[in-house]
Amino acid sequence: MMKNVVSSLAVSVAVVFLTAAPANAVEIERVVSPGGIEAWLVQDHRNPIIAMEFAFKGGAAQDPADKAGLSGMTAALIDEGAGELDSQGFRGLMDENSIGLSFDAGRDEFSGSLRSLTETKDLAFNLMRLALTSPRFDEEAVARIRSQIMVGLAQRKESPDAIAGKTLRALFFGDHPYGQATEGTMESVPAITVEDMQALVRERFALDRLKIAVVGDLTPEELATLLDRTFGGLRKTSSLPPIPDTEVMGTGDLVVVDKNLPQSVVSFGHQGIKRSDPDYYAAYVVNYVLGGGGMSSRLYEEIREKRGLAYSVYSYLNPLDHASLIGGGVATQNARVSETLDILRAEWKRMADAGLSAEDLADAKTFLTGSFPLRLSGSDRIAGMMLGMQIQGLGIDYLDMRNSYIEAVTLEQAQRVARELFKPEALTVVVVGRPENVKATRPAPDGAS
């Protein structure tokens, strides 16, 4: 149940209260500061702790192709000194006051996390303000972080999981921005300049792209003041180039990337379903039955339990802003890759042809609704959930409504979605290793190994 309450306090905070279901025991408030900056807040005064998650729309997909990794490198550096504080001074203040501040760059968002004790919240939010508005990018810090990134990239060149992901991404997206590596390449990272990172901060950190979620020992009035103080200096709007929508180029090919490994790593997938699609929750339930349900999934039962072919196997839905896919992964001995792939394809086809049973549907609903409150078991997880709700446009009442969306999935709808979603002929597979009796249908893309 939702009720709207407009505050007439001096700080002119606009607040919307959400009374969550008892199972969730979470009340979300919409807080709008005097400067018009919005955040979602869950007050929790039991412990003197504050957790904030925030994100700007526009992530690594915005990086120029010749500067791939720009977002990730900027995220690693903006808390390495800001304002008058060099890296040692900035991080020293955080350590001395038990403040946690970190940044990350995904494909579609540039995000940040803040953790603070109530008594040090003013300092914590001020450090975050400095990082967002006046990062230093000092020569020593840039050289150190760039070196760390290069070491990580060298390690990824030998990681079979990273190679499989990179190869599948290249097959799926080609020259689209989603096809480039979020972490950058051995060629692009050395080309990133301080001026590039300064331009990113100026251009992408804008209020029209900002979403904020806060959980902890904080009142709406206190948060409103901190919002203006922290984010009020950012530009109001931004004008980033649009990322085009694209279809996943799942052709049904099998690609083998030769690596001398005792077992092969397998990644697979094809076109998926958008988060905004009315059938998304049906697809979510169906994928749970196939491979998203861990030890209770069909893939786990057939590949792990019955035959002992792999330690784990899974499938997932991945709806991005401009594309969507369904994929998965497994690792198995080279001698057993062929058998594993046969079972994988058979289960993919079985789901497309026969769908799921009424019992499958009932069991999936029981687990997905019953386990949902466990995802709200801590301040960090609640803040992350609220941020995701805002980014995905799910509405402030989502915690109340989510289980009803799962319960509303009918067997008829699930059967139809299974037929429409799973395309065995389009299932594209990448194997990294030296699998026995597996014949590739096309060569690996350039630079795959």
Side-chain angles (χ1 to χ4, degrees):
M1 176 180 179
M2 183 181 295
K3 55 181 180 178
N4 298 315
V5 179
V6 179
S7 172
S8 59
L9 298 173
V11 290
S12 301
V13 182
V15 182
V16 177
F17 293 89
L18 170 67
T19 303
N24 296 328
V26 173
E27 181 182 90
I28 302 176
E29 306 171 70
R30 179 181 287 118
V31 177
V32 181
S33 75
I37 301 171
E38 180 179 323
W40 289 6
L41 169 67
V42 171
Q43 295 188 65
D44 183 353
H45 302 290
R46 294 171 296 178
N47 296 298
I49 299 171
I50 297 169
M52 168 184 275
E53 298 285 336
F54 62 95
F56 298 93
K57 294 297 291 184
Q62 291 285 346
D63 295 350
D66 61 344
K67 299 291 178 74
L70 170 60
S71 294
M73 187 168 175
T74 304
L77 274 159
I78 61 174
D79 60 352
E80 289 281 346
E84 297 182 356
L85 298 169
D86 62 11
S87 179
Q88 185 175 359
F90 193 95
R91 292 199 158 270
L93 276 176
M94 289 199 299
D95 292 342
E96 292 167 10
N97 293 277
S98 301
I99 295 170
L101 177 62
S102 62
F103 297 87
D104 189 33
R107 297 201 181 280
D108 294 317
E109 292 88 26
F110 190 108
S111 59
S113 299
L114 178 68
R115 303 293 180 269
S116 172
L117 297 173
T118 307
E119 65 184 78
T120 57
K121 67 178 183 297
D122 289 336
L123 174 61
F125 277 78
N126 188 54
L127 290 175
M128 184 170 66
R129 176 188 65 82
L130 289 174
L132 292 172
T133 57
S134 54
R136 291 169 62 108
F137 300 119
D138 289 334
E139 182 178 351
E140 179 278 330
V142 171
R144 172 166 45 84
I145 295 300
R146 193 193 308 272
S147 176
Q148 292 174 4
I149 294 173
M150 294 297 288
V151 170
L153 289 173
Q155 293 172 341
R156 289 181 64 83
K157 285 179 68 70
E158 299 303 318
S159 165
D161 291 293
I163 294 168
K166 173 185 176 182
T167 304
L168 197 64
R169 188 171 60 244
L171 293 170
F172 282 166
F173 299 116
D175 294 332
H176 187 275
Y178 283 163
Q180 66 187 34
T182 59
E183 66 277 2
T185 68
M186 300 294 285
E187 296 73 34
S188 67
V189 170
I192 296 170
T193 67
V194 169
E195 290 73 23
D196 294 327
M197 292 184 283
Q198 290 171 336
L200 183 152
V201 170
R202 287 194 309 270
E203 295 165 4
R204 298 199 204 173
F205 295 176
L207 296 180
D208 65 331
R209 292 180 174 270
L210 177 61
K211 303 295 182 184
I212 305 169
V214 184
V215 178
D217 186 23
L218 199 64
T219 67
E221 296 75 27
E222 290 171 324
L223 178 57
T225 299
L226 289 169
L227 290 176
D228 281 345
R229 187 186 302 167
T230 305
F231 300 104
L234 300 179
R235 62 190 300 178
K236 302 297 184 185
T237 60
S238 57
S239 57
L240 296 179
I243 302 296
D245 291 344
T246 185
E247 293 283 318
V248 172
M249 295 184 286
T251 58
D253 283 307
L254 188 154
V255 171
V256 176
V257 181
D258 181 67
K259 295 291 286 187
N260 187 14
L261 300 167
Q263 69 173 11
S264 293
V265 170
V266 182
S267 291
F268 50 87
H270 60 54
Q271 175 70 26
I273 185 169
K274 293 181 179 180
R275 187 62 179 81
S276 58
D277 193 298
D279 286 327
Y280 178 80
Y281 292 97
Y284 186 66
V285 171
V286 171
N287 177 68
Y288 172 86
V289 173
L290 177 72
M295 292 184 289
S296 63
S297 72
R298 289 182 180 177
L299 290 179
Y300 190 92
E301 180 181 359
E302 295 296 328
I303 291 175
R304 166 67 193 273
E305 289 296 306
K306 289 185 178 180
R307 299 170 178 86
L309 296 173
Y311 180 75
S312 68
V313 58
Y314 58 89
S315 64
Y316 59 85
L317 299 178
N318 186 13
L320 300 163
D321 282 0
H322 305 287
S324 56
L325 60 92
I326 180 170
V330 65
T332 188
Q333 296 176 7
N334 290 325
R336 310 195 75 177
V337 173
S338 179
E339 181 183 2
T340 300
L341 292 180
D342 286 344
I343 297 168
L344 168 65
R345 292 191 178 100
E347 289 304 315
W348 213 266
K349 187 175 188 301
R350 175 187 168 199
M351 185 60 79
D353 291 345
L356 64 168
S357 68
E359 183 180 2
D360 291 331
L361 179 61
D363 289 346
K365 286 182 176 183
T366 297
F367 179 85
L368 292 172
T369 56
S371 64
F372 183 64
L374 300 178
R375 296 167 61 181
L376 308 173
S377 58
S379 297
D380 292 359
R381 300 181 75 177
I382 295 172
M385 174 74 73
M386 287 198 299
L387 181 65
M389 289 159 57
Q390 293 178 71
I391 290 172
Q392 296 169 11
L394 299 180
I396 201 169
D397 63 345
Y398 176 74
L399 297 183
D400 270 347
M401 300 301 297
R402 185 266 190 187
N403 278 357
S404 69
Y405 301 148
I406 300 294
E407 292 288 5
V409 175
T410 66
L411 183 60
E412 180 182 14
Q413 182 189 20
Q415 299 284 45
R416 174 180 56 78
V417 169
R419 290 193 301 271
E420 295 172 353
L421 178 62
F422 291 91
K423 304 293 183 184
E425 72 282 359
L427 186 63
T428 301
V429 179
V430 172
V431 182
V432 180
R434 291 185 175 170
E436 299 176 13
N437 302 314
V438 173
K439 185 176 181 180
T441 62
R442 65 178 288 181
D446 292 340
S449 59

